[in-house]
Amino acid sequence: MTRKRVLIVYRSYFPSQSHLGPATAIRNLVTGMAADYDFHILTLNHEFADGTPLFPVALHREMQGSVVVEYIPRGWSGLRILAQRLRDGFDVVDIQCAFDPLLSIPALILCKLGYAGRSRVCHTPHGIFMDVIMSAGTAKKTMFCRLTDLFGLYRDVTHLAGSPGEETDIRRRHRRAQNVRMVSQFVEASANRPVPRDKPAGRLDIAFVGRVTEQKNLIFALDTLRQLPFPTRLHIFGDVGDSAYARQCIAMSKASESQCRVTFCGTLAKDALFARLPHYDLLLHPTLGENFGHSIVEALAMGVPVLISDRSPWTDVADSHAGWALPLSQQAGFIDRLRDVYEMGEAWSAMSKGALRYYRTTFDPNRTAARYREAYG
């Protein structure tokens, strides 16, 4: 039986350190579905953080495991390669993050013009229709949604939602009816099983995993922690950058009135991050919005309880005694829960087990694979 071929189009992929959320989701997908499909990833030979090429030659192509990854230049020469790949007769074309003007919008237009032939065309949004993403450049993004309605750009496209909330977001951003399938996402977890451990009362070591941006809401986390009347430690894993927001976070981390010792640890490779996560007492993630939230899921997989906002899909973690999901309007609730964890001794081990239980019952790769097989055909 001939294996079906899938072309994934997205502007950034490893070894780039930009747009790590979608890139991680893509890597997990091609790993999780490698037994079913042959994947070809088309991406840009470009590091968005500083504008440098990822590879010295403009067009670079390599095998990463069983996956072909093709890094193409920006501009017309890259778009010509995109058009050629769309004509190569892939069974499925999966375009990621439709707001991207460098690859995704051209790919959608070329598919509309018939370049993809009989390929099944999908669009994976990665949360672009969430309020927190739409609020940056609202007029342009709303106009794009109206234009896709007007010209029927999604007429023969299936949106692949990562959560029920994302399915709702897709539909409410468009006036024309949309074809949406809820597929969830694959989760990358450490090959090493978390080792059960104890936590002494009177200690609170916290991990924050994510880029230092407005969306991840680190300022809220720092402001909350500096109101605690006891010592804590916060380690921040993720790209800091040089934005005004990042500079404000750095300044807050040095505030003399805070009893929280803050360390910016930078971006770690997954294996290194997975090795360190189990040593923390809590993941703090007061995000302004996540369509999935890989850092939350990865912490749960390591047996680390989570204190998160209610703006991710995992608002039911408290039901499994795996943590809490609270409204950002209730900062006092965050302070109370941080105090609870600080004071916990033996009770913390039960929460750690709850985190593992929640992960194992919620994130079933077999169900996710079945959904993708239905979506891809």
Side-chain angles (χ1 to χ4, degrees):
M1 180 178 175
T2 303
R3 289 160 56 90
K4 290 189 175 181
R5 301 164 61 235
V6 180
L7 174 67
I8 293 179
V9 179
Y10 184 55
R11 62 192 262 169
S12 183
Y13 195 68
F14 303 102
S16 172
Q17 292 299 304
S18 301
H19 309 94
L20 288 178
T24 297
I26 292 169
R27 182 171 63 187
N28 294 349
L29 168 63
V30 300
T31 301
M33 299 301 293
D36 297 88
Y37 301 93
D38 290 328
F39 286 95
H40 185 121
I41 299 172
L42 190 73
T43 188
L44 292 174
N45 183 8
H46 188 81
E47 177 55 77
F48 286 83
D50 56 19
T52 59
L54 298 172
F55 301 97
V57 293
L59 175 60
H60 177 83
R61 182 177 172 133
E62 64 180 50
M63 293 292 298
Q64 295 184 12
S66 61
V67 180
V68 177
V69 186
E70 190 171 18
Y71 300 84
I72 65 175
R74 296 175 63 165
W76 288 110
S77 57
L79 293 180
R80 283 195 294 271
I81 297 170
L82 169 63
Q84 291 169 5
R85 293 296 163 266
L86 291 173
R87 288 187 179 278
D88 280 348
F90 285 89
D91 297 283
V92 180
V93 175
D94 191 349
I95 300 166
Q96 317 276 312
C97 297
F99 290 159
D100 162 40
L102 299 176
L103 276 186
S104 296
I105 292 176
L108 285 167
I109 294 172
L110 290 170
C111 288
K112 179 67 176 177
L113 295 175
Y115 276 69
R118 296 184 178 181
S119 301
R120 178 173 294 195
V121 181
C122 300
H123 168 234
T124 301
H126 294 294
I128 63 172
F129 299 118
M130 292 189 302
D131 289 341
V132 65
I133 302 298
M134 291 289 294
S135 65
T138 302
K140 288 195 300 184
K141 291 172 181 175
T142 301
M143 178 60 71
F144 178 75
C145 292
R146 296 288 82 77
L147 290 174
T148 60
D149 288 339
L150 179 64
F151 294 106
L153 203 58
Y154 294 136
R155 182 174 292 141
D156 299 314
V157 174
T158 300
H159 299 279
L160 304 182
S163 67
E166 181 162 60
E167 180 175 355
T168 300
D169 288 338
I170 294 168
R171 297 190 190 282
R172 71 189 178 97
R173 296 299 180 187
H174 299 89
R175 294 173 180 170
R176 185 188 290 268
Q178 301 295 309
N179 183 16
V180 186
R181 280 183 175 269
M182 213 293 288
V183 294
S184 187
Q185 292 186 20
F186 287 94
V187 177
E188 180 181 7
S190 172
N192 299 318
R193 294 174 62 87
V195 177
R197 65 178 177 87
D198 297 324
K199 172 196 169 296
R203 187 191 75 188
L204 184 53
D205 290 345
I206 304 165
F208 178 100
V209 181
R211 292 173 297 122
V212 179
T213 64
E214 289 88 343
Q215 180 184 349
K216 303 304 180 183
N217 209 13
L218 179 58
I219 285 178
F220 179 94
L222 292 169
D223 183 61
T224 302
L225 290 170
R226 71 179 178 180
Q227 296 183 51
L228 298 177
F230 47 81
T232 59
R233 291 195 301 175
L234 174 68
H235 287 178
I236 299 164
F237 298 95
D239 181 59
V240 179
D242 190 36
S243 66
Y245 186 90
R247 291 193 294 272
Q248 184 178 353
C249 290
I250 293 171
M252 289 182 67
S253 73
K254 299 176 180 177
S256 59
E257 71 272 15
S258 175
Q259 293 194 58
C260 182
R261 291 169 51 197
V262 180
T263 303
F264 290 87
C265 302
T267 301
L268 297 188
K270 280 294 182 183
D271 288 346
L273 180 62
F274 287 156
R276 294 188 63 170
L277 268 181
H279 299 283
Y280 292 93
D281 306 320
L282 188 74
L283 176 85
L284 180 58
H285 195 76
T287 177
L288 295 178
E290 302 287 340
N291 76 303
F292 192 77
H294 283 273
S295 62
I296 301 170
V297 178
E298 289 162 0
L300 293 166
M302 296 289 99
V304 179
V306 299
L307 176 56
I308 60 179
S309 75
D310 60 356
R311 302 187 187 183
S312 84
W314 322 121
T315 56
D316 59 346
V317 288
D319 296 342
S320 295
H321 202 48
W324 303 272
L326 305 178
L328 292 171
S329 60
Q330 298 179 11
Q331 189 177 34
F334 280 83
I335 293 172
D336 290 342
R337 299 292 79 76
L338 288 164
R339 182 182 294 109
D340 290 343
V341 179
Y342 174 78
E343 294 173 351
M344 281 181 185
E346 293 181 4
W348 182 89
S349 296
M351 287 202 71
S352 178
K353 292 175 183 176
L356 288 168
R357 183 169 57 250
Y358 183 89
Y359 169 76
R360 290 165 180 162
T361 58
T362 305
F363 305 101
D364 183 345
N366 294 323
R367 283 204 304 265
T368 301
R371 289 169 177 162
Y372 268 100
R373 283 191 288 268
E374 291 176 0
Y376 280 172

